[in-house]
Amino acid sequence: MGRIVRTGSTPAKRRHQHRRSCAEVLRLLAKRNLAGGFDREARDMVAFLVWNLHGIFRTIDESAHAWDEKGYWRRAEGLRDRWLWAQTAARELEDLIRAERWTDVAPMLVTLIPHFQDVTVRSITRNADWWCGAHRALVNDSGSTTPAGGAFDSSRTS
């Protein structure tokens, strides 16, 4: 009998793609002069970051659920606890965006940088097509943690 090799999308692979998107967007935002405020593209980038943070925690929950099914509930809860920051940051950023408190967004972005320091970004592979319209979609969304129709999913292929 031959070995089965999964080449499809796994939670870990999607998590890596979300983390890569977050790292790239944070790097691009860091290069901008945000002291003058957030322009339309910067707002889209921050909203795109929110979608990806939600995506990170969804993949963690998928992985933890698999551990739960095997009876390894301690390991599952440990995984959820280690990555709870992603869900918390997504909610806090989303609240700031919905309240139009853009002066509080920049300090919040700085707190996220340490979580993505291990992601190596040699070149930017995401461009404005990835986050264009993300702010409008986030504001118009009724509060769910998943983008409508899979929009702004950083695990898509380019």
Side-chain angles (χ1 to χ4, degrees):
M1 185 171 260
R3 190 172 136 194
I4 298 174
V5 177
R6 292 185 185 192
T7 59
S9 178
T10 64
K13 187 182 281 187
R14 289 193 313 276
R15 183 170 44 256
H16 175 73
Q17 290 166 339
H18 287 301
R19 293 187 74 232
R20 170 75 188 206
S21 291
C22 288
E24 286 189 23
V25 167
L26 284 171
R27 177 179 280 189
L28 290 170
L29 285 169
K31 289 180 182 178
R32 290 174 165 259
N33 181 11
L34 298 176
F38 284 78
D39 61 359
R40 180 179 292 166
E41 184 179 22
R43 289 176 184 217
D44 280 342
M45 292 167 85
V46 174
F48 179 69
L49 186 63
V50 169
W51 290 124
N52 281 285
L53 289 169
H54 281 303
I56 288 170
F57 196 75
R58 273 194 316 276
T59 63
I60 290 300
D61 206 40
E62 285 179 54
S63 296
H65 182 71
W67 286 115
D68 280 335
E69 286 181 348
K70 293 178 182 177
Y72 297 123
W73 58 271
R74 281 187 187 169
R75 184 172 283 192
E77 287 308 309
L79 184 64
R80 286 184 181 108
D81 286 345
R82 274 194 314 277
W83 288 87
L84 185 62
W85 66 266
Q87 185 181 41
T88 304
R91 286 180 180 161
E92 289 175 7
L93 264 177
E94 186 173 351
D95 289 344
L96 292 175
I97 291 169
R98 290 179 187 276
E100 295 288 323
R101 294 175 43 205
W102 292 101
T103 55
D104 297 331
V105 170
M108 176 71 184
L109 295 176
V110 172
T111 66
L112 292 176
I113 292 171
H115 296 288
F116 299 100
Q117 283 181 336
D118 61 324
V119 179
T120 304
V121 178
R122 288 191 175 86
S123 65
I124 303 297
T125 60
R126 276 75 167 157
N127 59 31
D129 291 345
W130 286 68
W131 52 77
C132 185
H135 176 257
R136 184 183 38 181
L138 185 68
V139 171
N140 292 338
D141 189 42
S142 62
S144 75
T145 59
T146 57
F152 312 113
D153 182 6
S154 68
S155 62
R156 69 182 185 184
T157 56
S158 33

